[in-house]
């Protein structure tokens, strides 16, 4: 049997941070995502690629790399992997990901190299070279990677261009969800997959133990918080990843500002937003129903109230709302602004997403009011800290819903915390009765599969069989007589006559004969009559006949009775059938062995 | 050489075939009438190739066939069918058979045997399917004939085992449409074994082809629709289909489950994997709820829609649909709705935010959490936040229906409805506002909910705002702060969108009269009165001030203590408003003014009976007086018309009837007057001028009859006859007048012929009503018809003249419900002094907003007319989507009209008005033959004439010359 061996590489396992999973499907090796960890600044931020091949080139080992979406924890290590470690094979991603990914990588590189002065980091040229290896996959398009390996993308809804991928080799398939969202939001639709019944579903489980409230309440809450702070004259800081949630919140605030006719300025930091927004305007087909329908009148991503942020604006008096990157307050502009505004209790910071342990965002969310900054400085946080779960991951119900849609044979949980995954695992096993796994980093799971082998059947045989029985009876298995011919790894089911002809063999008759002893003192004729009436009463669907020569036939099975040579009180029934009637024949024998019912004499 | 030989062979072959065909053609021609069938036969025989034959058949299918020749045609088709080797031609013939058997007036039982016969020898699956379709058409045409139905069912069962899905589909369809009811099976056995149709169809629920599965479910649904009671056993089968791979199967299965749940709501079904049992309707409800989160949106819409009609479901299950059981890190969390409610009940509303008030509370037992199969759990929560707005709308509608039947559910779903007011798609917002209005008598809004509701008043869409005003009209508010909040928001709305004035005033009227006790404590604040000081008198023309007064006066109606709080100027303003806005300000019992207002008020509703009686009496008077001298008749008619018109003005309920009858009498009066003319007594050439009056009368009568026919809703056939009769008289009058005033006979020939055609047309259209027209003009006319046909024009005119004079006055029966169509253009208001400037030759879009009342089918009849100062008129057909239907009998037209003209030297006014287009030939029933074929376009879209039915509005425009 073939095996599937998914191995979460350094991070994707029971952790949120770096996603990188290695899957072997029927001998094909595929790497799913190539992420980096935001919390580390040293070697630990990239996956340990040396694990994949102890020696030898990556290109020889890996058949392809698939990137699910453009978040850095899913694609951040890509240039390092392809240019510095060395990989020349194809990299698959959707067109929006392909467009936006290099912008983010470049931004990340700038922060790491220009700001922090790190050496041994990938260069701009490396990003460009890396992107040249990318092949775009459109939604529901099946791409043939090589003769056997094919991949197909499904809509995942998490960010623009996020996709789930089905990897298929022969009859074996794996679905990798990447990050996905089952509830639509202001700019993206919900994840959807057809009932593809993969052998294995690898799903993220960030919110394994959460069932979220309706998004409408969340939105209203968010708007209310922002509105109240602005009316008080306070400043609102919303740390976001440059792309993804930010666009949703922008649309939300933009429409709200328009409706309520508010005047306070909204700023969006970093120049890369404009570039990215440009792509959001372009990839309208990847957005939700509303934006798709109305973009002819007005493209929702052309903001009227939202302007670019300048560093000097942070000190301006009066209320304002600022979206700043990065989302977890671990570096960059959002951290700078946070430092400036943290002292004033009128201000507010809204964390709209998940924060990795070790970041400032995580610290303030867990209630820490005094932060130790670089250079032993202590920052007292007086501003209000709010957490709005705007993170576009599926909650527990959503994960279950996706599993229900895809109907996999096995489920593997990645991208979550071990304790929470344990709960979900138990639920999945209980409710879907499928096996569920949650490997740790570096751990390999091997799943046996029972591959189905296609067998060709000759049309003549099929028609002959169809003509015999009633057609619509999918529930009852049907017995079909035929000969299986295996020739050049090619299976065919043909009728026995044809098989004989093809193989040039003569036909042999095979008959089974069986003697059944019956205690019956009567004459043979009478015994036969009794057998006849007994069988007639039991086998109603079959043709039971009493022949003039004193034998009984059931279909083509012959039954004759003879007196026992030694004991006249015993009659010997001779049952004879050809091998085609084996089923009925053996049934008849067992029936007769039970004896005849005591007839009233 | 070979080529030559080949050619020879072909030549010979074609020759032979042709000869044969001609022979048959000759034979056939004698057998059948020289009709369509013959022509078809010749065509078919001429066809040398299947492609040709197909072409002929296609051509043939374009024209209708009369009922009498259908059988002949069918015979010929069948004959050709037997000979035909090409499947596509046979397919077309089979489809024609189905089409022909649908011809009205033709009984298809005679062709059934043949159809079944050819079915048995057919090999092609497609043709088989088409033949079965034809049989279906035959079967549905003969619903009474049990034997035929049994036979057809038998045929269907035989072909059910076919390998092609198309054939099986059609068989199932046949079974669904014709499968007989159980009782008749036993009665009408006739050698055919009675079949359990449901069992047979049920077997195909597990067919390998999804299309067949769908067809099987649909057939089952069809059985149900035909009144056959489905077995309860089907329920389990259908439940299995809910997890089918194909969406159409799931969608149909949801419907089937719904049907069964309505049939056996109280049956008990076991819950799998436990030994509990629940009611079937609850179980079905849970299952359909589960489908609200299906992968396909088609199924989701279907499921969400059906949920609304499951009213028998237990409240326990119903309320689960709104509960999603939130949790966070395995701890129970309260929803934002619950938190808001708690905050409100603890009196802490809007006191600022508290940190962590949404922190999760108690731990959840991990074993008890059920992530999927929790049945109804949160179905509506999912449905309302679905990706597709179609699903959201369906969910809102379902919520509405369920809430209407269950007050406690209405209370619970309020939060969710309020949330939907902020949906991103306008239609959804609108739908949820309407829904809320429908359930408003079951609910009372909390202040925080009201807050969210009122926030929507700032929406830029007029539809939304107006819907919200209507909602506020019938909302119950719980506190005086709520009323104040509503008023403040409405005034804000008024300031932002001044065009909403009327709607806001109306809204405040109802708000005031609904909550008198809540308004009372607000009065001093609202009127800004002060116990000691006189305050400045507010501006009487300020719409905001009027709005406040409307609220207060309506509250004061049922709150006698309120007027004591008014200051002097308030009383003066009351008197003013009572006169100017009497529909908004009620009569008040004011101290010191003894019901001054109520005496003046036209609003006091007189008893309906007297006015109705008056109407009847005055009409009867007129009808009984037909034999009086012309002078008296004229006077009486004039008086009655005046009375009726006045009555219409006073009694809005009777306006339609009064106007309608007045118009009719007016026509009669005109006719009498025209016949009194001296013109008739004098030699024709001398009185050319005076004929003006008569011909003008004829013209006006024509116009009035068109108005009567098309401008009133609720006109029945018996009125239409009378109206047409009147029109016929007018046409006769016109003919006579023309005959008198024109010289020469040639033009008269044409006119006479046309008139006689009209009479013939009248007779054909209203043949059933002719007995009611005893002694009338038409009655006499038809008696003399043979003579008229052969007479010369002069003679015809003479006869007509005498008959017109002798004809009696027909009694117009009054319809039950009749309303006159009317339209008011709200926008453009016609007040602006700033001309609309645009470059000549280009277009400018003018927004037109109008309300239409009692217009039937406005999409096709209402047009916009633009009249330019140079006399040029332009008619614009608004798009069907421009019409909205806010209430029964009311429509709203919001459209854009494009204006364009060559350059003018100075701004000038164009007139915009609404027209009602009519087409009297539209009443003729269309032939059923042409289904989906080309419908002759001029019949559909032609406009015979138009009636203006709104006041024209002037718009100031200025096309500037283009700059070079």
């Amino acid at each position: 049997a073939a095996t599937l061996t998914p191995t979460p590489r350094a991070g994707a396992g029971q952790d949120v941070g770096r996603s990188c999973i290695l899957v072997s499907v029927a001998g094909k090796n595929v790497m799913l995502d190539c992420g980096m960890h935001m919390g580390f600044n040293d070697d630990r931020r990239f996956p340990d690629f040396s694990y994949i091949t102890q020696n030898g080139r990556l290109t020889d080992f890996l058949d392809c790399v698939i990137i699910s979406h453009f978040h850095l924890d899913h694609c951040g290590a890509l240039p390092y992997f392809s240019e510095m470690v060395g990989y020349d094979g194809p990299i698959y991603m959707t067109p929006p990901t392909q467009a936006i990914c290099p912008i983010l990588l470049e931004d990340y590189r700038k922060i790491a190299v220009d700001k922090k002065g790190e050496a041994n980091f990938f260069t701009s040229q490396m990003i460009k070279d890396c992107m040249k290896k990318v092949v775009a996959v459109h939604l529901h398009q099946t791409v043939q990677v090589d003769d056997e390996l094919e991949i197909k993308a499904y809509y995942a809804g998490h960010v623009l261009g996020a996709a789930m991928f089905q990897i298929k080799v022969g009859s074996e398939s794996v679905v990798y969800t990447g990050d996905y969202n089952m509830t639509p939001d202001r700019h993206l639709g919900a994840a959807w997959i057809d009932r593809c019944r993969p052998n294995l579903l690898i799903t993220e489980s960030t919110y394994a133990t959460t069932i979220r409230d309706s998004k409408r309440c969340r939105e209203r809450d968010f708007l209310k918080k922002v509105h109240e702070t602005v009316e008080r004259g306070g400043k609102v800081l919303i740390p976001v990843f440059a792309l993804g949630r930010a666009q949703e919140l922008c649309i939300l605030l933009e429409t709200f500002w328009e409706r309520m006719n508010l005047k306070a300025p909204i700023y969006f930091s970093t120049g890369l937003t404009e570039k990215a927004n440009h792509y959001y305007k372009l990839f309208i087909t990847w957005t939700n129903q509303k934006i798709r329908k109305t973009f002819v009148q007005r493209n929702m991503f052309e903001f009227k109230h939202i302007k670019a942020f300048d560093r000097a604006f942070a000190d301006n008096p009066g209320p304002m709302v600022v979206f700043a990157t990065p989302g977890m307050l671990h570096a960059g502009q959002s951290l700078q602004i946070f430092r400036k505004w943290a002292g004033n209790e009128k201000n507010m910071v809204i964390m709209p997403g998940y924060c990795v342990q070790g970041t400032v965002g995580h610290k303030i969310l867990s209630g820490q009011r005094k932060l130790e900054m670089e250079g032993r400085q202590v920052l007292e946080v007086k501003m209000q800290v709010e957490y709005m779960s705007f993170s576009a991951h599926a909650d527990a119900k959503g994960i279950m819903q996706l599993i229900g849609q895809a109907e996999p044979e096995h489920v593997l949980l990645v991208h979550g915390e071990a304790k929470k995954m344990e709960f979900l695992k138990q639920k999945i096993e209980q409710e879907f009765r499928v096996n569920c796994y949650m490997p740790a980093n570096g751990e390999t799971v091997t799943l046996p599969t029972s591959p189905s082998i296609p067998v060709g059947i000759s049309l003549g045989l099929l028609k002959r069989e169809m003509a015999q029985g009633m057609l619509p009876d999918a529930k009852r298995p049907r017995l079909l007589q035929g000969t299986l011919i295996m020739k050049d790894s090619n299976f065919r089911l043909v009728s026995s006559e044809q098989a004989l002809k093809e193989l040039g063999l003569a036909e042999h008759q095979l008959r089974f004969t069986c003697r059944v002893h019956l205690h019956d003192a009567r004459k043979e004729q009478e015994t036969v009559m009794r057998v006849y009436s007994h069988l007639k009463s039991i086998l109603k669907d079959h043709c039971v006949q009493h022949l003039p020569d004193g034998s009984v036939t059931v279909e083509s099975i012959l039954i004759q009775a003879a007196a026992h040579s030694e004991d006249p009180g015993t009659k010997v029934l001779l049952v004879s059938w050809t091998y085609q009637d084996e089923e009925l024949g053996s049934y008849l024998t067992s029936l007769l062995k039970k004896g005849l019912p005591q007839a009233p004499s | 050489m070979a080529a030559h030989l080949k050619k020879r062979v072909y030549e010979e072959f074609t020759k032979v075939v042709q000869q044969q065909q001609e022979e048959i053609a000759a034979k056939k021609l004698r057998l059948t009438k020289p009709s369509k069938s013959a022509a078809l036969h010749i065509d078919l025989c001429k066809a040398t190739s299947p492609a040709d034959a197909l072409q002929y058949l296609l051509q043939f299918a374009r024209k209708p066939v009369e009922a009498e020749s259908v059988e002949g045609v069918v015979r010929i088709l069948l004959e050709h069918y037997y000979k035909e080797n090409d499947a596509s031609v046979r397919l077309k013939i089979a489809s024609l058979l189905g089409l022909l058997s649908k011809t009205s007036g033709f009984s298809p039982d005679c062709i059934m045997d043949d159809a079944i016969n050819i079915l048995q020898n057919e090999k092609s699956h497609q043709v088989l399917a088409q033949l079965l379709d034809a049989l279906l058409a035959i079967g549905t045409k003969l619903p009474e004939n049990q034997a035929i139905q049994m036979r057809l069912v038998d045929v269907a069962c035989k072909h059910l085992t076919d390998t092609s899905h198309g054939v099986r589909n059609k068989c199932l369809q046949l079974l669904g449409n014709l499968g007989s009811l159980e009782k008749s099976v036993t009665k009408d056995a006739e050698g055919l074994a009675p079949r359990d149709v449901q069992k047979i169809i049920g077997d195909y629920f597990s067919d390998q082809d999804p299309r067949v599965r769908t067809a099987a479910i649909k057939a089952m649904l069809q059985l149900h629709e035909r009144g056959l009671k489905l077995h309860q056993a089907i329920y389990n089968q259908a439940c299995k289909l809910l997890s089918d791979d194909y969406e159409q199967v799931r969608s149909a299965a949801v419907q089937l489950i719904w049907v069964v749940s309505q049939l056996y709501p109280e049956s008990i079904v076991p819950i799998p994997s436990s030994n509990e049992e629940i009611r079937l309707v609850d179980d079905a409800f849970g299952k359909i709820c589960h489908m609200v989160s299906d992968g396909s949106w088609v199924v989701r819409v279907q499921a969400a829609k059906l949920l609304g009609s499951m009213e028998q479901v237990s409240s326990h299950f119903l309320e689960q649909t709104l509960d999603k059981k939130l949790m966070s890190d395995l701890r129970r969390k309260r929803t934002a709705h619950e938190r808001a409610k708690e905050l409100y009940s603890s009196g802490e509303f809007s006191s600022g935010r508290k940190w962590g008030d949404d922190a999760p509370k108690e731990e959840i037992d991990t074993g008890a959490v059920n992530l999927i199969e929790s049945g109804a759990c949160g179905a509506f929560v999912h449905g309302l936040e679905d990706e597709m707005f179609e699903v959201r709308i369906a969910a809102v509608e379902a919520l509405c229906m369920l809430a209407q039947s269950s007050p406690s559910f209405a209370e619970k779903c309020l939060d969710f409805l309020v949330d939907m007011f902020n949906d991103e798609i306008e239609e959804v917002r609108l739908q949820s506002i309407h829904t809320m209005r429908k359930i408003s008598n079951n609910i009372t809004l909390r202040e925080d909910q009201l807050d969210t509701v009122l926030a929507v008043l700032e929406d830029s869409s007029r539809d939304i705002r107006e819907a919200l005003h209507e909602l506020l009209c019938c909302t119950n508010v719980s506190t005086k702060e709520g009323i104040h909040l509503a008023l403040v928001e409405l005034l804000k709305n008024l300031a932002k969108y001044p065009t909403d004035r009327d709607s806001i005033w109306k809204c405040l009227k109802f708000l005031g009269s609904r909550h008198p006790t809540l308004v009372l404590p607000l009065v001093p604040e609202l009127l800004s009165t002060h116990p000691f000081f006189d305050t400045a008198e507010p501006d009487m023309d300020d719409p905001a001030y009027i709005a406040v007064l409307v609220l207060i006066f309506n509250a004061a109606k049922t709150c006698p203590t309120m007027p004591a709080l008014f200051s002097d100027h308030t009383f003066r303003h009351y008197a003013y408003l009572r006169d100017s806005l009497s529909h908004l300000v009620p009569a008040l019992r004011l101290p010191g003014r003894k019901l001054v207002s109520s005496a003046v008020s036209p609003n006091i509703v007189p008893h309906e009976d007297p006015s109705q009686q008056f109407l009847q009496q005055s009409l009867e008077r007129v009808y009984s007086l037909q034999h009086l001298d012309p002078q008296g008749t004229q006077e009486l008619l004039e008086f009655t018309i005046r009375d009726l018109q006045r009555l219409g003005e006073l009694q809005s309920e009777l306006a339609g009837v009064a106007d309608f009858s007045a118009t009719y009498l007016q026509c009669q009066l005109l006719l009498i007057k025209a016949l009194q003319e001296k013109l008739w007594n004098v030699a024709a050439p001398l009185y050319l001028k005076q004929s003006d009056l008569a011909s003008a009368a004829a013209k006006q009568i024509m116009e009035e009859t068109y108005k009567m026919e098309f401008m009133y809703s609720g006109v029945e056939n018996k009125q239409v006859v009378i109206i047409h009769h009147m029109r016929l008289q007018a046409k006769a009058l016109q003919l006579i007048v023309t005959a008198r005033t024109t010289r020469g006979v040639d033009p008269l020939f044409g006119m006479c012929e046309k008139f006689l055609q009209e009479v013939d047309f009248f007779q054909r259209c209203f043949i059933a009503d002719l007995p009611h027209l005893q002694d009338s003009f038409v009655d006499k006319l038809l008696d003399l018809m043979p003579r008229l046909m052969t007479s010369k024009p002069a003679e015809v005119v003479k006869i007509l003249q005498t008959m017109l004079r002798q004809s009696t006055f027909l009694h117009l029966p009054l319809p039950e419900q009749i309303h006159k169509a009317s339209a008011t253009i709200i926008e453009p208001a016609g007040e602006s002094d700033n001309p609309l400037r645009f470059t000549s030759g280009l277009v400018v879009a003018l927004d037109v907003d109008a309300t239409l009342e009692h217009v039937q089918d406005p999409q096709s009849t209402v047009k916009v007319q633009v009249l330019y100062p140079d006399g040029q008129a332009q008619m614009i057909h608004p798009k069907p989507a421009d019409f909205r239907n806010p209430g029964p009998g009311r429509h709203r037209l919001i459209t854009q009209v494009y204006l364009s003209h060559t350059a003018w030297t100075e701004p000038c006014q164009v007139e915009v008005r609404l027209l009602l287009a009519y087409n009297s030939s539209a009443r003729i029933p269309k032939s059923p033959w042409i289904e989906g074929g080309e419908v002759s376009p001029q019949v559909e879209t032609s406009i015979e004439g138009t009636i203006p039915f709104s006041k024209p509005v002037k718009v100031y425009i200025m096309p500037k010359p283009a700059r070079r």
Side-chain angles (χ1 to χ4, degrees), chain A residues 164-339:
Chain A
M164 306 190 273
F165 282 91
Q166 184 190 32
I167 301 125
K168 200 169 174 189
V169 181
S171 65
E172 284 163 40
S173 62
V174 174
V175 168
Y176 172 60
T177 65
D179 290 353
Y180 63 99
N181 186 9
M182 294 301 280
T183 45
D185 61 32
R186 287 273 168 164
H187 76 308
L188 295 174
W192 180 86
I193 195 163
D194 56 18
R195 196 164 290 180
C196 52
R197 300 200 172 88
N199 296 93
L200 172 67
L201 178 81
I202 304 176
T203 172
E204 62 134 334
S205 52
T206 317
Y207 289 107
T209 53
T210 302
I211 299 176
R212 267 181 310 192
D213 201 350
S214 122
K215 63 160 183 172
R216 290 174 197 286
C217 300
R218 261 182 282 156
E219 284 172 3
R220 216 180 47 205
D221 253 21
F222 171 77
L223 293 174
K224 214 171 185 176
K225 279 173 187 170
V226 173
H227 192 186
E228 278 169 10
T229 313
V230 169
E231 280 200 332
R232 266 204 311 269
K235 298 177 168 67
V236 183
L237 171 66
I238 308 171
V240 286
F241 291 104
L243 300 162
R245 264 347 69 210
Q247 269 67 24
E248 183 193 356
L249 297 180
C250 281
I251 284 189
L252 202 57
L253 276 189
E254 164 92 10
T255 42
F256 187 71
W257 247 239
E258 199 147 308
R259 245 177 62 186
M260 306 298 279
N261 203 13
L262 295 177
K263 291 286 181 280
I266 309 177
Y267 296 114
F268 204 121
S269 82
T270 76
L272 73 96
T273 321
E274 274 137 61
K275 246 193 218 168
N277 257 342
H278 176 64
Y279 289 116
Y280 269 82
K281 280 179 218 162
L282 282 182
F283 291 107
I284 285 294
T285 46
W286 290 76
T287 56
N288 72 3
Q289 196 190 17
K290 157 87 178 169
I291 298 178
R292 278 204 313 264
K293 286 201 159 178
T294 57
F295 90 100
V296 184
Q297 284 99 41
R298 183 193 161 196
N299 196 322
M300 293 271 277
F301 291 108
E302 274 164 19
F303 302 121
K304 277 186 198 154
H305 296 271
I306 301 172
K307 296 164 211 112
F309 183 68
D310 187 282
R311 198 172 303 169
F313 292 166
D315 296 321
N316 284 0
M320 66 172 87
V321 181
V322 175
F323 289 95
T325 50
M328 299 187 191
L329 281 181
H330 54 85
Q333 205 148 32
S334 62
L335 190 60
Q336 283 175 14
I337 300 171
F338 175 74
R339 279 191 188 176

Side-chain angles (χ1 to χ4, degrees), chain B residues 525-694:
Chain B
E525 190 189 343
L526 294 180
L527 291 176
S528 52
T529 48
H530 195 276
F532 310 125
F533 304 117
D534 271 349
T535 44
E537 184 175 331
D539 178 13
M540 197 51 247
D541 291 328
D542 181 10
Y545 179 60
I546 296 177
V548 174
L549 285 186
V550 166
L551 174 78
I552 292 173
F553 290 150
N554 279 290
K557 199 170 134 197
T558 44
C559 185
T561 52
M562 205 181 283
L565 297 167
F566 295 171
S567 52
D568 283 347
H569 56 77
T570 316
F571 289 112
R572 267 187 283 122
H573 294 165
Y574 167 74
Y576 171 65
L577 287 180
R578 183 75 196 92
D579 265 358
S580 60
L581 295 171
S582 51
H583 60 291
L584 292 173
V585 180
L588 290 186
R589 210 175 266 276
L590 296 182
R593 290 155 205 249
K594 272 197 175 172
L595 284 177
V596 185
S597 43
S598 63
V600 184
S601 159
N603 219 32
I604 291 177
V605 186
H607 285 293
E608 258 189 69
D609 283 337
S611 49
Q612 186 93 41
Q613 240 171 359
F614 173 72
L615 183 80
Q616 291 293 351
Q617 277 168 359
S618 45
L619 286 178
E620 269 160 32
R621 208 166 55 212
V622 173
Y623 293 134
S624 60
L625 283 183
Q626 40 187 292
H627 296 302
L628 263 186
D629 65 304
Q631 190 57 43
T633 313
Q634 269 187 41
E635 268 171 25
L636 183 67
L637 278 173
E638 270 163 20
F639 284 134
T640 318
I641 290 168
R642 200 197 59 203
D643 285 353
L644 287 175
Q645 277 169 346
R646 179 72 185 138
L647 182 71
E649 281 164 29
L650 290 178
Q651 271 310 100
S652 54
E653 308 92 84
L654 291 176
V657 185
D659 281 353
F660 189 65
S661 355
T663 316
Y664 180 62
L665 296 183
Q666 180 74 36
C667 290
Q668 190 64 37
L669 181 63
L670 281 168
L671 190 66
I672 292 176
K673 272 187 182 166
L675 291 172
Q676 297 287 307
E677 274 301 295
K678 282 187 196 141
L679 154 78
W680 314 108
N681 310 327
V682 189
L686 293 176
Y687 282 86
L688 271 179
K689 271 216 177 132
Q690 251 146 358
S691 68
D692 263 349
L693 204 147

Side-chain angles (χ1 to χ4, degrees), chain A residues 244-476:
Chain A
R245 264 347 69 210
Q247 269 67 24
E248 183 193 356
L249 297 180
C250 281
I251 284 189
L252 202 57
L253 276 189
E254 164 92 10
T255 42
F256 187 71
W257 247 239
E258 199 147 308
R259 245 177 62 186
M260 306 298 279
N261 203 13
L262 295 177
K263 291 286 181 280
I266 309 177
Y267 296 114
F268 204 121
S269 82
T270 76
L272 73 96
T273 321
E274 274 137 61
K275 246 193 218 168
N277 257 342
H278 176 64
Y279 289 116
Y280 269 82
K281 280 179 218 162
L282 282 182
F283 291 107
I284 285 294
T285 46
W286 290 76
T287 56
N288 72 3
Q289 196 190 17
K290 157 87 178 169
I291 298 178
R292 278 204 313 264
K293 286 201 159 178
T294 57
F295 90 100
V296 184
Q297 284 99 41
R298 183 193 161 196
N299 196 322
M300 293 271 277
F301 291 108
E302 274 164 19
F303 302 121
K304 277 186 198 154
H305 296 271
I306 301 172
K307 296 164 211 112
F309 183 68
D310 187 282
R311 198 172 303 169
F313 292 166
D315 296 321
N316 284 0
M320 66 172 87
V321 181
V322 175
F323 289 95
T325 50
M328 299 187 191
L329 281 181
H330 54 85
Q333 205 148 32
S334 62
L335 190 60
Q336 283 175 14
I337 300 171
F338 175 74
R339 279 191 188 176
K340 272 188 187 156
W341 292 356
N344 191 340
E345 63 274 4
K346 272 209 281 185
N347 297 344
M348 176 185 283
V349 59
I350 299 178
M351 306 295 299
Y354 186 87
C355 285
V356 173
Q357 236 163 15
T359 58
V360 175
H362 190 268
K363 281 178 198 157
I364 57 170
L365 273 183
S366 51
Q368 231 171 303
R369 302 306 274 180
K370 287 203 170 133
L371 298 175
E372 222 173 291
M373 308 304 282
E374 284 159 33
R376 303 229 176 118
Q377 212 181 330
V378 176
L379 182 70
E380 199 177 341
V381 183
K382 283 187 187 157
M383 75 198 298
Q384 294 180 55
V385 179
E386 295 280 1
Y387 175 65
M388 299 282 333
S389 170
F390 265 92
S391 180
H393 291 273
D395 64 359
K397 260 198 153 167
I399 295 171
M400 298 301 268
Q401 210 180 325
L402 188 89
I403 297 174
Q405 270 182 24
E407 290 192 358
E409 280 171 29
H410 305 273
V411 177
L412 189 136
L413 301 177
V414 293
H415 206 282
E417 288 164 34
K419 206 177 71 196
K420 298 180 179 177
M421 279 153 84
E422 188 63 49
F423 162 80
L424 190 65
K425 171 176 187 275
Q426 178 203 336
K427 284 290 151 200
I428 291 170
E429 287 179 343
Q430 180 186 325
E431 284 176 23
F432 291 106
R433 302 185 197 291
V434 297
N435 291 325
C436 184
Y437 309 88
M438 33 174 288
N441 284 349
E443 193 183 326
T444 303
V445 178
T446 307
L447 299 175
T449 57
S450 43
S452 52
I453 299 162
V455 175
I457 182 165
S458 80
L459 195 62
L461 180 62
L462 191 66
K463 278 196 172 157
R464 201 172 71 192
E465 286 297 325
M466 293 245 287
Q468 278 177 11
M470 303 317 288
L471 197 60
D473 206 359
K475 283 162 258 172
R476 212 187 299 161

Side-chain angles (χ1 to χ4, degrees), chain B residues 70-114:
Chain B
V70 167
E71 195 175 350
V73 172
V74 168
R75 294 273 162 248
I76 289 166
L77 286 175
L78 283 172
E79 194 172 318
H80 195 77
Y81 183 96
Y82 290 121
K83 286 187 294 188
E84 186 56 60
N85 293 323
D86 188 79
S88 58
V89 179
R90 290 207 307 273
L91 184 74
K92 185 65 203 170
I93 292 178
S95 92
L96 276 179
L97 285 185
L99 211 54
L100 283 169
S101 49
K102 279 184 201 155
T103 316
S104 57
F106 168 69
S107 168
D109 43 359
C110 47
I111 59 170
M112 197 187 72
D113 285 326
D114 296 282

